[in-house]
Amino acid sequence: MVSHAEFYHAYQSTIMKLNKMFSRAQNCKEAAAQFKELQNRFKLEELDMYAAFCCLAVGRCEEAIGNTLVASSEYSFVGNTFLKLELDRQQSLAPGFREHILEATRCYLMAIECYRENGLFYMSGSLFLELGLALMSMNEFEGATLYIRRAAEMIQGDSTLMAVQCLNFVLDCELEQGFLFEASCTASTICKLVTGQQSSKSRKNQKCAFSQQEIRESLFVLICLLLLTNQQEKAKTFINSKMFNDYNYSMSNSLLESYSSSFALSPTPSIIVTPNPSNTTTTIQIPTPTGTTPKQNPKNLPGTTPTPTSTSTPTLTPT
């Protein structure tokens, strides 16, 4: 079993050799090989943190001599290792200061930068998504929202389907934080992508076909969010738009119940959107349960006000 003193001595001795003639590529190669040997040794003894430090040193040496692709692979491995260490710490309820999350994020960003320098934007987006999903599983929703959204922006050029999936994860994070206004903006972007109203800027000119059910579900989520954030005028404009009418929109309460856990509403209001066959009048019914009070916006977000406790049924008529 390797002690802390032995690890420090072996690691420091390699660094001292490297500092003597750091500018020489041959010296970096020799140091990378020695760090790799230390890494394998610590792996066998299941000392993941020590192995991660050695792997990070290997990545720095490879990047110094110009092997950025090898370096990015090493950095992503280190980031993944620190995320696993943080997950183990949380499961064991041990105290911590998010040091593993910060180190993992730094390593992932270095790997992403190496891929971007080589023009591998899809790989960069994949790492953004991997980091975001890991943070999402640890309830770090703020960081997850940021990195998954950046993943969607990078992946969109290669796969509209993956971009929509990433935005759905962003939508989940925003709903978990209670950011309904931001969630409605994300849902609007999803609707434009799935209906083809927004260009995917695909470098491969591929067309990704979404099912009618997927499109209708996306439209339904957007309507719910617009109504929950008191954006009635925007909801009216959207319902009268060509995007809405092209898919003969009609939803039942059963689909709303499948989304009730995402909206975190208790009790869940019934929202029925029924277009008139003559396409002249669209009725939206939002019965409010008696004895309940609307959920206030926790962050006092711009553009949002508390939902009024009214049992009236608004009717939206196209102008």
Side-chain angles (χ1 to χ4, degrees):
M1 189 71 178
V2 178
S3 64
H4 293 277
E6 291 175 338
F7 164 75
Y8 179 79
H9 177 72
Y11 191 88
Q12 195 67 20
S13 62
T14 306
I15 290 179
M16 293 298 294
K17 294 178 182 177
L18 190 61
N19 288 337
K20 290 180 179 178
M21 298 179 66
F22 187 81
S23 59
R24 289 181 55 184
Q26 184 65 30
N27 187 255
C28 292
K29 290 181 179 179
E30 293 177 0
Q34 294 178 12
F35 281 126
K36 197 70 175 179
E37 183 180 352
L38 278 176
Q39 176 187 348
N40 295 332
R41 177 184 173 188
F42 295 137
K43 273 186 180 180
L44 292 176
E45 300 191 18
E46 297 182 356
L47 298 173
D48 294 334
M49 183 178 294
Y50 292 159
F53 286 139
C54 294
C55 186
L56 179 60
V58 173
R60 291 186 180 279
C61 291
E62 295 292 347
E63 186 177 7
I65 59 180
N67 295 335
T68 54
L69 290 179
V70 177
S72 60
S73 177
E74 300 292 342
Y75 291 150
S76 59
F77 175 79
V78 176
N80 185 265
T81 301
F82 278 112
L83 287 176
K84 290 179 179 178
L85 291 173
E86 176 64 20
L87 188 60
D88 293 340
R89 185 199 65 77
Q90 292 185 4
Q91 291 177 350
S92 63
L93 302 179
F97 300 95
R98 301 180 69 254
E99 63 275 6
H100 291 151
I101 292 180
L102 296 176
E103 189 65 28
T105 301
R106 187 171 67 90
C107 293
Y108 268 104
L109 293 179
M110 289 192 297
I112 289 168
E113 185 60 31
C114 289
Y115 280 127
R116 291 180 63 181
E117 290 177 358
N118 289 274
L120 300 176
F121 298 103
Y122 190 84
M123 292 297 297
S124 299
S126 299
L127 288 183
F128 270 128
L129 179 59
E130 181 179 331
L131 175 59
L133 291 178
L135 294 176
M136 186 177 175
S137 66
M138 300 175 189
N139 296 330
E140 296 280 342
F141 296 114
E142 183 177 357
T145 302
L146 171 64
Y147 296 125
I148 298 178
R149 187 181 294 278
R150 294 182 68 179
E153 294 171 356
M154 289 192 170
I155 294 177
Q156 183 178 335
D158 294 287
S159 174
T160 305
L161 179 62
M162 282 298 299
V164 170
Q165 187 174 357
C166 290
L167 289 176
N168 281 325
F169 287 128
V170 172
L171 184 62
D172 291 339
C173 292
E174 290 171 339
L175 291 174
E176 286 287 347
Q177 298 175 91
F179 297 162
L180 298 182
F181 184 82
E182 286 79 356
S184 66
C185 297
T186 302
S188 177
T189 304
I190 293 174
C191 289
K192 291 178 182 178
L193 286 175
V194 299
T195 57
Q197 299 293 324
Q198 177 173 317
S199 174
S200 64
K201 301 178 182 179
S202 175
R203 289 185 285 272
K204 299 180 180 179
N205 295 323
Q206 61 178 10
K207 292 185 178 180
C208 183
F210 293 88
S211 67
Q212 293 287 323
Q213 182 70 11
E214 291 174 328
I215 294 175
R216 291 180 177 183
E217 288 179 5
S218 299
L219 297 174
F220 177 72
V221 172
L222 176 56
I223 292 173
C224 291
L225 289 170
L226 290 176
L227 294 174
L228 288 171
T229 52
N230 274 357
Q231 301 183 69
Q232 286 88 353
E233 288 299 323
K234 192 171 183 179
K236 178 180 178 180
T237 304
F238 172 70
I239 290 172
N240 295 327
S241 66
K242 183 177 182 298
M243 181 198 305
F244 185 86
N245 294 323
D246 283 347
Y247 292 94
N248 190 21
Y249 190 87
S250 178
M251 284 297 174
S252 63
N253 289 336
S254 60
L255 185 57
L256 176 61
E257 293 173 1
S258 66
Y259 282 98
S260 60
S261 59
S262 296
F263 291 127
L265 296 175
S266 178
T268 304
S270 298
I271 300 179
I272 306 174
V273 182
T274 307
N276 191 288
S278 61
N279 289 329
T280 58
T281 305
T282 301
T283 304
I284 301 180
Q285 299 177 356
I286 319 174
T288 304
T290 58
T292 61
T293 57
K295 181 177 290 187
Q296 300 294 330
N297 184 17
K299 295 287 187 179
N300 192 21
L301 299 176
T304 62
T305 58
T307 305
T309 57
S310 173
T311 59
S312 61
T313 302
T315 301
L316 305 182
T317 306
T319 56

